[in-house]
Amino acid sequence: MSFLAELGHHFLPEVILAIGVMLLILIGAFRGEKGFSLVDEIATGVLGLAILAIVLSSKQADVAVFDGAYIDDAFSRFVKALTLIGAMASILLSVDWLQRNGLEKFEYPVLVLLSTLGMMLLISADNLIALYLGLELMSLALYVMAAFARDDGRASEAGLKYFVLGALSSGMMLYGSSLLYGFSGTVSFAGIAQAVTEHPPIGVIFGLVFVLAGLAFKMSAAPFHMWTPDVYEGAPTPVTAFFASAAKMAAVAITVRVVITAFPAITTQWRQIIVFLAIASTLLGSFAAIGQNSIKRLMAYSSIGHMGFALIGLAAGTEAGVRGVAVYLAIYLVMTLGSFAAILAMRVNGRNVENISDLAGLSRTNGLMAFFLAMLMFSLAGIPPLAGFFAKYYVLLAAVDAGLYPLAVVGVLASAVAAFYYLRVVKVMYFDEPAPGFDRSPFAVRAILAASTIAMLGFWLYPAPVMNAATAAAKSLF
């Protein structure tokens, strides 16, 4: 197949995003700050077009292109669709917030698209060089976005902290990649899988540890989570929503691809690392969130805990485990977008508020929003029959089937502890004396909050689309 044919058949969503970015930069350059609304609307359309391209290509065969650097398979298409949905929702959530805070600059949607393009390259990376290029394209845009409100000291601190620690993690991943190349003689995942046997040299293990440490930073898995609470709290709230949704999809996806496709012969070795990350993340996410008063910091620790649950499925190292991870990502994305829509709706007299106490008595001042947020909190806690319960069920079931009983027990106990702080939010909304009511939120925020809640409530009635897509995605890796 020619280069242009490969671009058209297997690289079309990325081409759409790349052309969209160049078009938006030109529009922004000619129209200046007046072009924000137009650039924002076109960016949303570009993301919608990329989703359509993925849907139309869903029946294509799995193919590796560009000399094996890039793979177009069911797994990549599934996660890319989630990533694009997360990016589109993040843009829709950001419009009103940016305008109210005087940050309506055309660079914002351009940065979202650039970062999303990096995520898509990362998800389809099939060798170490493509992995690094995708990771850096994603990260460089995220560094700028974290400090987008540059006159806000907290945002500047968040951007600087994320940049410094992100550079450190990139260095660790590069060092690990160089070790893997040195001991295997290739950068491709398929080549590494052929070169690494059941008894690999110690250098391969060191390389694997460093690569996984770099990826764990991007997932904000403990003990590489230290940036997460401060960056989530300091960065503008729409940016935090983007961090918590789309960026997580890409980081978990490439971690799954690396360990499953490049190291099938040493499952026992990488499983030990994944089990450690999973236990550390679920426990830290459960206990550290208990004392938080800021709902953004609570969501930061919540995300750490949820990444731990996703890793429980990966630790199984089986097709069922990867399917569990895929289902978990889909449900986590919807729960996170709904929760951040609720946080963006927390505004009193034109001022954004972020403390859990600001939700006091919400059931009496805004009963519908209180109901939606309560359902999302129940789902995050994993209470049946909401979707969050099934997300945890599938990863824990995969761990039990793989004989990882202690890991499953830790997951169940951590989930029980985490339920405390989710239910505390519900208690504040329904049983505390009312705080000042919130301003009326924009339509996009209300629509995403309502749609997320309905999806969480209705998943158990019709789970087939997500389950079928996740099953096909998992099969493509085995």
Side-chain angles (χ1 to χ4, degrees):
M1 188 178 285
S2 69
F3 179 74
L4 288 178
E6 288 181 341
L7 279 182
H9 282 87
H10 304 292
F11 205 64
L12 187 56
E14 287 83 351
V15 170
I16 292 171
L17 285 188
I19 293 175
V21 167
M22 288 186 280
L23 176 66
L24 296 183
I25 290 174
L26 285 174
I27 294 173
F30 282 109
R31 294 181 63 104
E33 292 185 3
K34 293 179 182 175
F36 171 73
S37 297
L38 179 61
V39 170
D40 207 74
E41 290 167 4
I42 294 178
T44 308
V46 168
L47 290 168
L49 204 58
I51 293 174
L52 182 63
I54 288 178
V55 172
L56 293 178
S57 67
S58 59
K59 301 297 182 186
Q60 284 186 169
D62 299 349
V63 177
V65 294
F66 307 141
D67 290 329
Y70 178 94
I71 189 163
D72 177 24
D73 59 4
F75 181 76
S76 66
R77 289 191 287 271
F78 179 79
V79 184
K80 280 180 190 175
L82 297 180
T83 303
L84 289 167
I85 291 170
M88 183 188 281
S90 300
I91 287 184
L92 292 173
L93 288 173
S94 69
V95 178
D96 180 74
W97 193 96
L98 292 171
Q99 289 174 337
R100 286 181 180 277
N101 290 276
L103 293 170
E104 63 274 38
K105 302 181 186 304
F106 78 90
E107 291 90 344
Y108 183 83
V110 171
L111 286 168
V112 172
L113 256 61
L114 270 176
S115 181
T116 307
L117 177 59
M119 292 171 196
M120 296 178 74
L121 295 174
L122 182 62
I123 291 166
S124 275
D126 204 25
N127 71 26
L128 294 171
I129 294 175
L131 186 160
Y132 183 72
L133 291 176
L135 191 74
E136 287 305 296
L137 179 57
M138 174 185 84
S139 301
L140 288 173
L142 290 178
Y143 298 147
V144 181
M145 289 176 68
F148 199 74
R150 60 185 181 184
D151 294 331
D152 184 340
R154 291 193 313 169
S156 300
E157 181 186 343
L160 185 61
K161 186 172 288 185
Y162 188 50
F163 171 70
V164 171
L165 294 175
L168 176 66
S169 75
S170 293
M172 293 168 68
M173 208 190 69
L174 271 181
Y175 180 63
S177 299
S178 65
L179 281 174
L180 291 177
Y181 173 67
F183 281 92
S184 66
T186 177
V187 294
S188 78
F189 295 163
I192 293 171
Q194 288 183 340
V196 176
T197 62
E198 291 183 3
H199 304 288
I202 191 69
V204 170
I205 302 299
F206 267 98
L208 176 61
V209 168
F210 276 101
V211 168
L212 287 180
L215 294 176
F217 175 89
K218 298 300 178 187
M219 285 188 289
S220 65
F224 304 98
H225 66 283
M226 65 293 288
W227 60 275
T228 314
D230 293 341
V231 174
Y232 270 46
E233 186 180 30
T237 305
V239 176
T240 310
F242 188 58
F243 270 77
S245 55
K248 297 275 189 187
M249 302 295 112
V252 175
I254 191 59
T255 306
V256 172
R257 187 182 294 285
V258 167
V259 297
I260 295 292
T261 64
F263 300 99
I266 55 170
T267 300
T268 306
Q269 284 87 341
W270 62 253
R271 177 180 283 160
Q272 295 175 43
I273 304 169
I274 298 296
V275 166
F276 169 73
L277 292 173
I279 292 176
S281 300
T282 50
L283 291 180
L284 185 129
S286 299
F287 285 98
I290 291 175
Q292 301 302 322
N293 294 317
S294 164
I295 194 160
K296 286 174 73 176
R297 288 186 74 87
L298 184 144
M299 289 303 296
Y301 284 108
S302 168
S303 79
I304 295 168
H306 281 284
M307 288 304 100
F309 273 99
L311 291 175
I312 289 176
L314 178 58
T318 60
E319 189 177 315
V322 174
R323 185 188 66 163
V325 175
V327 173
Y328 203 98
L329 288 180
I331 293 174
Y332 171 77
L333 174 77
V334 178
M335 292 189 296
T336 300
L337 289 174
S339 301
F340 275 97
I343 294 172
L344 283 163
M346 292 172 61
R347 200 175 63 242
V348 178
N349 298 325
R351 184 175 57 87
N352 299 306
V353 292
E354 297 173 356
N355 289 328
I356 294 171
S357 58
D358 294 318
L359 290 164
L362 185 65
S363 62
R364 278 172 271 181
T365 56
N366 190 337
L368 194 59
M369 180 181 167
F371 173 75
F372 287 157
L373 186 54
M375 291 301 107
L376 289 168
M377 290 294 118
F378 284 136
S379 186
L380 284 165
I383 294 174
L386 296 164
F389 165 76
F390 294 98
K392 292 182 178 177
Y393 171 76
Y394 285 117
V395 293
L396 290 173
L397 184 64
V400 170
D401 288 342
L404 301 174
Y405 302 111
L407 180 61
V409 170
V410 170
V412 171
L413 293 177
S415 183
V417 174
F420 169 78
Y421 58 80
Y422 292 124
L423 297 181
R424 181 164 68 98
V425 174
V426 178
K427 173 256 177 191
V428 168
M429 290 192 295
Y430 279 87
F431 296 104
D432 285 8
E433 288 300 314
F438 296 145
D439 301 346
R440 184 174 174 78
S441 51
F443 172 76
V445 172
R446 286 181 281 130
I448 290 174
L449 175 59
S452 303
T453 307
I454 292 169
M456 291 302 97
L457 284 167
F459 176 81
W460 66 281
L461 292 173
Y462 189 52
V466 175
M467 295 305 300
N468 292 340
T471 302
K475 277 184 180 175
S476 68
L477 293 186
F478 290 88

